[in-house]
Amino acid sequence: MSADLYLIVGLGNPGGEYAKTRHNAGFLLAERLAERWKADWTFEKKFNARVARVQREDRQALLCEPQTYMNSSGEAVRAIADFYQVSAARMLVVVDDADLLLGELRLRPGGSSGGHHGLESIEQHLGTREYARQRIGIGRVAGARQITGYVLGKFDSTEAALMDKVLTVAADQAECWLDAGIQKAMNQFNGPAAGLDNERKEQ
C-alpha cells in the first residue's frame, strides 16, 4: 500500500444496544466522516472491523470501526495497521472522554490512555503511545466516580442536538489533521467546539 495512507479509528461498542451511546462517540465521528466523504462501509472479517476507504486529493485514508468491543480495540487496530503498513504517526484514534465537558475537543499527538480502556488496548497491541488521539467530551455526572452506566447510556434529546453540532466540528478537526497536520488541527479546534460555549453553559 502506498506511503500516503492514513488511518482514522473511531472507537465504540458494536451492536444496536450501544448505538448512539456516549461511549460510542468515536463511532459517531467515523460515521460522520464517512457520510461527509461519501465512503461506503464494508465489514472486513480479517480485521474484525468495519472499514471505509477514502481518497482526498493526494491523501488516502481508511476509516475503521473495530467490532471487537471497546476493551479489545487494539486487536483490530494492530491487524489493520500491520496489513496496510500504516505507522502510528499516520494514525488518529477518536474516543469519548468523560473528564471533558460535553462539546469539548482535545487532540493530542500522544500521551497516556487516561484510563480509557480502548486506548489502553491500542497501546498494548501497538507497543507505543505515539499516535494521535482526538477526545470528544461527553461530560459526567457531577461528583460521580462510577460512570459505567453513564457512558453506556444514550444522549438525551438536548445532548443529542448538541452532540450533532460537536460532531460537525470534530469532523472538521479530523479533516484538518489529515490535510494540514496535527499542529494546525490542535491550534484551530482544541477547546469548546466553536460556537457551543454559551449553549453548553446553559445546560
Side-chain angles (χ1 to χ4, degrees):
M1 185 55 81
S2 63
D4 64 353
L5 185 71
Y6 289 75
L7 177 62
I8 299 175
V9 182
L11 297 192
N13 287 308
E17 76 237 64
Y18 296 110
K20 300 194 186 310
T21 57
R22 297 179 180 92
H23 211 25
N24 274 29
F27 274 13
L28 294 174
L29 190 276
E31 286 156 16
R32 179 64 58 92
L33 287 171
E35 180 183 334
R36 180 180 288 192
W37 295 340
K38 296 179 171 55
D40 295 322
W41 292 100
T42 57
F43 176 71
E44 299 277 0
K45 188 176 180 180
K46 60 182 173 286
F47 309 132
N48 194 10
R50 293 176 77 221
V51 178
R53 290 167 171 77
V54 179
Q55 180 74 45
R56 281 179 60 78
E57 299 177 0
D58 62 336
R59 298 277 165 93
Q60 294 181 64
L62 291 174
L63 293 170
C64 171
E65 289 185 348
Q67 301 295 291
T68 53
Y69 289 97
M70 182 72 81
N71 295 3
S72 301
S73 298
E75 296 172 12
V77 174
R78 176 67 188 268
I80 197 168
D82 283 355
F83 185 85
Y84 288 108
Q85 297 181 317
V86 181
S87 68
R90 292 177 180 264
M91 190 180 301
L92 173 65
V93 179
V94 186
V95 298
D96 62 291
D97 192 327
D99 290 323
L100 295 179
L101 291 172
L102 181 65
E104 188 153 344
L105 300 176
R106 183 177 296 167
L107 176 65
R108 290 284 185 270
S112 75
S113 66
H116 193 287
H117 297 316
L119 293 179
E120 287 172 358
S121 177
I122 291 171
E123 181 183 325
Q124 177 188 346
H125 283 85
L126 293 184
T128 182
R129 294 177 170 183
E130 301 308 308
Y131 59 87
R133 69 281 310 274
Q134 180 190 46
R135 298 176 183 271
I136 299 176
I138 60 169
R140 70 159 78 218
V141 179
R145 294 310 309 162
Q146 178 51 256
I147 60 169
T148 303
Y150 175 76
V151 299
L152 292 178
K154 294 184 186 291
F155 294 105
D156 66 30
S157 59
T158 303
E159 291 172 334
L162 180 57
M163 195 65 185
D164 184 63
K165 297 175 184 177
V166 172
L167 289 171
T168 296
V169 182
D172 290 343
Q173 185 174 43
E175 280 188 345
C176 187
W177 169 83
L178 182 62
D179 297 341
I182 191 166
Q183 201 61 52
K184 183 174 181 180
M186 288 168 55
N187 292 344
Q188 194 166 332
F189 294 98
N190 274 358
L196 297 178
D197 204 21
N198 293 333
E199 194 171 333
R200 191 182 59 194
K201 287 173 183 172
E202 293 166 5
Q203 300 298 307

